[in-house]
Amino acid sequence: MLENIFKIIIGIALCSLVSCDKEKNGTLTDKDAIDSIDAKEKVTDCFNGYKESILAEDGDKAVKFLSSGTVELYQKYVDLALDAEKDEIQKLSFINRMQAIFIRHRVAPDKLRLFDGREALVYAVNNGWIGRDETIGTSLGEVYASGDKAVANVIIKGTPTNQSFHFVCEDGVWKMDLEKLLVATNVQMKRVVQESGMGEDQFIFTVLESVSGKKVQDSVWDPVGR
């Protein structure tokens, strides 16, 4: 169970735990349903291309379907893993703390020093850090958009859900935006941690040890260094 939860979180991709409502700021509403069949197809094609890449563990292909904001977010995780001291890591939100510790624990220092955000994403996909079981049964339902943003209802194993994925159009190309997904996941996972009866750091270490098969050492709090 813990391994499945962690793959969903880190995965950066297809999450069956997240319940992410459409934006309530007036930019995206049900009235904004995309009328253009072409636009719907492009958002759906983006999702399907990303999904196929995840199933094939093809990181170079998968990252082409991700927004620049997603890549920038993973650059932040790499920088944290390399540079952040323990007190800085512990001040992060649960999901950001988990990401930074995960990278430190699972990526060799010499390799990590060569990473940027894009390479971190490619490495994650190539090494199967995203749950295939969660990916296989996931598809898109209705698509809604306003300007260069879109959300799509999520269907899991043929059943519509109240979940959604976000997309942005960059230079005329629709991309998946996983940044919003991780923000929503942070809220959901804090509830999971509370239900587990563990402290947040204990939960992170337990999950990490489950998926890696290696004990998490106290040195995981220390910056890797450049």
Side-chain angles (χ1 to χ4, degrees), residues 50-61:
Y50 180 68
K51 178 179 175 179
E52 290 171 4
S53 303
I54 296 303
L55 294 177
E57 296 185 355
D58 186 342
D60 285 309
K61 183 178 179 181

Side-chain angles (χ1 to χ4, degrees), residues 92-184:
L92 298 171
S93 68
F94 174 83
I95 195 67
N96 288 341
R97 192 184 333 143
M98 194 168 196
Q99 296 277 31
I101 293 175
F102 175 88
I103 291 173
R104 280 184 180 174
H105 181 68
R106 300 209 68 184
V107 182
D110 289 346
K111 185 179 293 292
L112 179 57
R113 293 186 184 103
L114 300 175
F115 276 3
D116 58 18
R118 181 189 180 281
E119 289 161 344
L121 281 162
V122 170
Y123 187 84
V125 175
N126 288 348
N127 284 275
W129 290 359
I130 298 171
R132 291 173 58 85
D133 290 344
E134 292 78 25
T135 304
I136 290 171
T138 306
S139 59
L140 297 187
E142 189 60 71
V143 179
Y144 303 85
S146 178
D148 61 355
K149 296 180 181 180
V151 291
N153 296 135
V154 176
I155 297 175
I156 297 178
K157 295 182 179 179
T159 302
T161 72
N162 66 341
Q163 302 164 22
S164 59
F165 289 135
H166 289 249
F167 299 80
V168 295
C169 190
E170 297 180 345
D171 297 324
V173 180
W174 285 98
K175 304 286 186 79
M176 287 192 70
D177 183 9
L178 300 183
E179 189 171 5
K180 292 182 181 298
L181 187 64
L182 288 172
V183 171

Side-chain angles (χ1 to χ4, degrees), residues 77-107 109 112 199-206 208-209 215-225:
Y77 292 143
V78 170
D79 291 339
L80 285 168
L82 290 172
D83 302 326
E85 299 286 349
K86 180 177 180 179
D87 58 346
E88 182 178 355
I89 294 289
Q90 290 187 318
K91 291 177 182 177
L92 298 171
S93 68
F94 174 83
I95 195 67
N96 288 341
R97 192 184 333 143
M98 194 168 196
Q99 296 277 31
I101 293 175
F102 175 88
I103 291 173
R104 280 184 180 174
H105 181 68
R106 300 209 68 184
V107 182
L112 179 57
E200 290 186 356
D201 291 342
Q202 180 187 5
F203 183 90
I204 291 172
F205 281 27
T206 299
L208 255 180
E209 291 174 358
K215 182 174 177 58
V216 180
Q217 305 295 331
D218 287 341
S219 59
V220 78
W221 293 115
D222 300 329
V224 172

Side-chain angles (χ1 to χ4, degrees), residues 1 5-6 8-9 15-21 93-96 98 162-164 180-196 200 203:
M1 174 183 174
I5 290 173
F6 192 66
I8 291 169
I9 299 171
C15 177
S16 62
L17 287 176
V18 175
S19 177
C20 185
D21 293 333
S93 68
F94 174 83
I95 195 67
N96 288 341
M98 194 168 196
N162 66 341
Q163 302 164 22
S164 59
K180 292 182 181 298
L181 187 64
L182 288 172
V183 171
T185 302
N186 186 67
V187 175
Q188 293 294 323
M189 289 311 303
K190 288 178 74 70
R191 295 174 186 168
V192 173
V193 173
Q194 290 176 349
E195 292 172 0
S196 75
E200 290 186 356
F203 183 90

Side-chain angles (χ1 to χ4, degrees), residues 18-33:
V18 175
S19 177
C20 185
D21 293 333
K22 300 181 185 66
E23 295 182 21
K24 300 297 193 300
N25 59 8
T27 60
L28 294 178
T29 70
D30 287 358
K31 294 180 180 179
D32 296 318

